[in-house]
Amino acid sequence: MMGLPDAEAAIGVTRRWLERFVIGQRLCPFAAAPYHANRIAYRVSEACTLDGVFHDFLVTLEECVASDPREQETALLILTRALGVFDDYLDALDLMERAVNEAGLDGRLQLASFHPDYRFEGAAADDPANFSNRSPLPMFHLIREDGLAAALETYPEPARIPARNIRHLRRLGLDRVRALLSGD
């Protein structure tokens, strides 16, 4: 990442990543509908500290719960200045998951994680499978479980999605994955 993006640039790069990669490669078969219907809330945290990110996460969480699901199905909190180190991000992810649980929202909201250096436990750093959770910037994704449950009912064998993504990304190979992400 060259320099620190402002909020508009962070949202732009995230939208392009969703379009080209997540939706374009069908990594998440449920992303296209809220994306095209403009039901994704993009929130940017320019906080430099974990306390600041946590505050922004709680605000995003509150907005997500209070919003009408027909207008905001899901929310992305995009970080532009904090948690660039993957291990720090994982520690913060634990904190955010506890916050969802302590707010009594377990079963109502699910938290998904994305980071530019995402690496599955036991995977090599250059394993293309890691790119299923790699994003242009660190982010936390809040997903309404009722909307996800409805989508899962119409999708054949949703439990196979992660394994399908791993096979697909490995078949593409590291060079092709990087080319797709760069827009080539």
Side-chain angles (χ1 to χ4, degrees), residues 95 101 110 130 168:
L95 177 65
N101 193 350
Q110 186 179 116
N130 293 320
H168 175 67

Side-chain angles (χ1 to χ4, degrees), residues 85-122:
V85 175
F86 185 54
D87 287 336
D88 294 343
Y89 173 85
L90 289 177
D91 291 341
L93 178 62
D94 272 347
L95 177 65
M96 307 309 165
E97 287 174 335
R98 281 196 312 271
V100 169
N101 193 350
E102 288 173 11
L105 297 171
D106 202 27
R108 287 184 56 202
L109 287 177
Q110 186 179 116
L111 184 58
S113 56
F114 298 95
H115 190 278
D117 297 321
Y118 203 97
R119 184 174 176 184
F120 289 107
E121 190 173 338

Side-chain angles (χ1 to χ4, degrees), residues 23-87:
I23 296 168
Q25 293 301 307
R26 294 187 217 134
L27 297 179
C28 178
F30 317 115
Y35 179 82
H36 294 298
N38 291 318
R39 291 191 315 259
I40 299 174
Y42 300 91
R43 303 291 182 254
V44 176
S45 173
E46 294 179 331
C48 298
T49 65
L50 179 56
D51 284 344
V53 170
F54 187 64
H55 173 268
D56 292 343
F57 178 81
L58 292 177
V59 169
T60 303
L61 183 65
E62 185 177 317
E63 288 174 355
C64 191
V65 169
S67 67
D68 182 338
R70 294 169 297 188
E71 294 176 19
Q72 181 183 322
E73 189 172 326
T74 186
L76 289 170
L77 178 63
I78 307 160
L79 314 179
T80 60
R81 290 176 168 68
L83 304 179
V85 175
F86 185 54
D87 287 336

